[in-house]
Amino acid sequence: MSKSPDPVYGVRTEFLAGDPLRGVGAMAILAYHALLVALVHTPPRLGFAPFGPVGNRLLRDLPLGLAVFFCLSGYLISRPFAYWLVAGERRPALGRYLKNRALRILPAFWVTYTVVLVWKGPGPGGLRGALATYGLAQSFYPTTASYLIAQAWTVGVEAMFYLCIPIIFLALAAVTRLLTRRRTPRDSQPETASSLTGLVILAALGLASLVARSGPPMTGLHLLNPLSALYNFIPGMALAIAEPVLAPILHSRSVVSRLCEAALWVLALVAWAYYSYLWTGGAVSLLAYVQGTRALAETLGAGGLVGALLVRQWRRGDAPRILFNRPLRFLGQRSY
């Protein structure tokens, strides 16, 4: 959860932690993997066909819940740095930041992986594969030990993002100071200038990320290096950088806020519909499949969903009741 002071327009910090939406994403990912094991990896390997054409299409797109996870991480982890960059808040202490990020994921992952490693054994690759996995580098050193928990590639992507965030925002701060140092307080709006500069640079980084992951080879090093994976987090980072400027404006202008919220819902629906339409039958792995315009549609859909909920929150200070309830919050808090 962000340590930045919440603005006066009424933010519910428990929703800012993304708990309800994380709960939805967790259920989607759990359901996908359970069904995948039950229906795809067992004879007669019908996939999701028993659920009919509509069910098949919906169920195969459940991994979009992961895009929501990454977008939320982009927003939540970036938010304290965004308030430092745009609103002049105190910069997060880097040592404390890295310590908190490590404690959030490493102990639980190490315990889980150790149990599985002892249970199944390291197999070919042995100690090196296990050490790579403990260091969250299993995607770059493919051995039997590296894939004992195949889904852990997402933890490695998150860890890379955690390391990249301070670097990106320190660079953004340097560029912003360079571009705005000749302005005077009377003829400039430093918050707006910093926000716009950050958004333009993020857009360029997102484009570079999408280009970097497009095309062969389909390897972990190619698809999961920091640049190729960064596009997942860009929409959330953009929302964090825009918040200090947009939130007060949208809070005081109900009509504009409603229009923005509606536009973001439309963006989410159209982007994900396009993503689903581009399905090619799953001839390649899901990870390699999400490239080019498919990757763009995936991440824009997640950004539209999270953005729509944030705009509502900036305007009203709440979340839809269908999301903001104890079961989803409980599941979301324990899902990652």
Side-chain angles (χ1 to χ4, degrees):
M1 185 177 298
S2 170
K3 298 300 182 181
S4 298
D6 288 324
V8 295
Y9 38 86
V11 169
R12 298 178 72 165
T13 55
E14 58 268 40
F15 181 71
L16 278 180
D19 294 338
L21 208 52
R22 284 182 189 272
V24 173
M27 289 192 298
I29 295 168
L30 178 62
Y32 176 79
H33 283 98
L35 289 168
L36 197 66
V37 171
L39 299 173
V40 178
H41 292 169
T42 56
R45 294 182 174 85
L46 297 175
F48 299 132
F51 294 91
V54 176
N56 179 42
R57 184 173 291 272
L58 292 175
L59 290 171
R60 76 188 186 196
D61 290 338
L62 286 176
L64 287 171
L66 184 60
V68 176
F69 266 98
F70 286 148
C71 183
L72 279 170
S73 290
Y75 170 73
L76 294 165
I77 305 303
S78 297
R79 191 170 182 259
F81 290 94
Y83 272 82
W84 163 62
L85 174 70
V86 178
E89 300 287 348
R90 184 177 180 181
R91 191 191 75 186
L94 297 184
R96 182 179 180 182
Y97 163 80
L98 293 173
K99 175 184 175 182
N100 289 342
R101 295 300 96 205
L103 290 176
R104 179 172 177 81
I105 60 174
L106 288 179
F109 175 71
W110 284 343
V111 169
T112 303
Y113 179 68
T114 299
V115 171
V116 176
L117 183 64
V118 172
W119 173 31
K120 293 189 174 182
L127 180 61
R128 291 184 179 181
L131 291 176
T133 306
Y134 279 114
L136 301 180
Q138 66 274 18
S139 297
F140 310 130
Y141 193 79
T143 67
T144 301
S146 304
Y147 286 104
L148 290 177
I149 306 180
Q151 297 86 349
W153 69 267
T154 63
V155 184
V157 170
E158 284 270 347
M160 287 190 297
F161 173 69
Y162 294 160
L163 293 174
C164 288
I165 277 294
I167 299 172
I168 291 173
F169 274 91
L170 287 171
L172 287 176
V175 172
T176 300
R177 285 195 298 268
L178 180 64
L179 295 178
T180 61
R181 64 184 178 180
R182 295 183 180 181
R183 296 177 181 266
T184 65
R186 291 184 179 182
D187 64 8
S188 66
Q189 295 177 309
E191 288 190 1
T192 302
S194 297
S195 183
L196 288 175
T197 301
L199 291 174
V200 170
I201 295 176
L202 282 184
L205 281 174
L207 179 60
S209 178
L210 290 169
V211 171
R213 75 177 283 108
S214 296
M218 305 303 181
T219 64
L221 183 61
H222 169 62
L223 296 171
L224 297 175
N225 67 74
L227 180 58
S228 294
L230 185 61
Y231 81 97
N232 292 283
F233 305 92
I234 291 294
M237 296 171 67
L239 288 167
I241 287 178
E243 182 180 89
V245 174
L246 286 185
I249 297 173
L250 296 181
H251 177 66
S252 61
R253 299 178 185 178
S254 179
V255 174
V256 176
S257 176
R258 290 176 185 273
L259 290 174
C260 288
E261 184 180 346
L264 287 167
W265 278 117
V266 170
L267 172 64
L269 291 173
V270 170
W272 278 353
Y274 181 68
Y275 171 91
S276 184
Y277 170 76
L278 289 175
W279 181 264
T280 59
V284 296
S285 71
L286 180 66
L287 182 62
Y289 168 74
V290 184
Q291 292 183 283
T293 55
R294 295 181 292 273
L296 178 62
E298 173 205 34
T299 197
L300 285 180
L305 173 61
V306 175
L309 294 173
L310 279 173
V311 169
R312 174 193 170 109
Q313 189 173 28
W314 296 339
R315 173 169 56 89
R316 296 180 40 162
D318 68 356
R321 290 186 179 182
I322 192 173
L323 280 178
F324 202 78
N325 56 71
R326 288 186 177 181
L328 282 181
R329 287 176 59 193
F330 178 87
L331 180 60
Q333 288 169 352
R334 291 156 180 81
S335 65
Y336 210 74

